[in-house]
Coordinates of all heavy atoms in Angstrom, one line a residue:
I368 N -120.5 -13.0 29.2 CA -119.6 -13.0 30.4 C -118.3 -13.5 30.0 O -118.2 -14.6 29.4 CB -120.2 -13.8 31.5 CG1 -121.6 -13.3 32.0 CG2 -119.2 -13.9 32.7 CD1 -122.2 -14.1 33.1
S449 N -82.0 2.3 64.5 CA -80.6 2.2 64.5 C -80.0 1.5 63.3 O -80.7 0.6 62.8 CB -80.1 1.5 65.8 OG -78.8 1.2 65.8
W517 N -102.5 4.7 64.7 CA -102.6 6.1 64.2 C -103.2 7.0 65.2 O -104.1 6.6 66.0 CB -103.4 6.1 62.9 CG -102.6 5.6 61.7 CD1 -102.1 4.3 61.6 CD2 -102.1 6.2 60.6 NE1 -101.4 4.1 60.5 CE2 -101.4 5.3 59.8 CE3 -102.3 7.6 60.1 CZ2 -100.8 5.7 58.6 CZ3 -101.7 7.9 58.9 CH2 -101.0 6.9 58.1
F525 N -104.0 29.5 73.5 CA -105.0 30.3 74.2 C -106.2 29.5 74.6 O -107.4 30.0 74.7 CB -105.5 31.5 73.3 CG -104.4 32.5 72.9 CD1 -103.7 32.3 71.7 CD2 -104.1 33.5 73.8 CE1 -102.7 33.2 71.4 CE2 -103.1 34.4 73.4 CZ -102.4 34.2 72.2
E555 N -125.4 -0.1 58.7 CA -126.5 -1.0 58.9 C -126.0 -2.4 59.1 O -126.5 -3.2 59.9 CB -127.4 -0.9 57.7 CG -128.7 -1.6 57.7 CD -129.5 -1.2 58.9 OE1 -129.8 0.0 59.1 OE2 -130.0 -2.1 59.6
D562 N -122.8 -5.6 66.2 CA -123.1 -4.9 67.5 C -124.5 -4.4 67.4 O -124.8 -3.3 67.0 CB -122.1 -3.8 67.7 CG -122.3 -3.1 69.0 OD1 -123.2 -3.5 69.8 OD2 -121.5 -2.2 69.3
D627 N -108.6 15.8 85.8 CA -107.8 16.1 87.0 C -107.3 14.8 87.7 O -107.6 14.5 88.8 CB -108.6 16.9 88.0 CG -109.1 18.2 87.4 OD1 -108.2 19.1 87.1 OD2 -110.3 18.3 87.0

Side-chain angles (χ1 to χ4, degrees):
I368 300 180
S449 169
W517 286 61
F525 298 93
E555 187 57 50
D562 183 358
D627 304 289

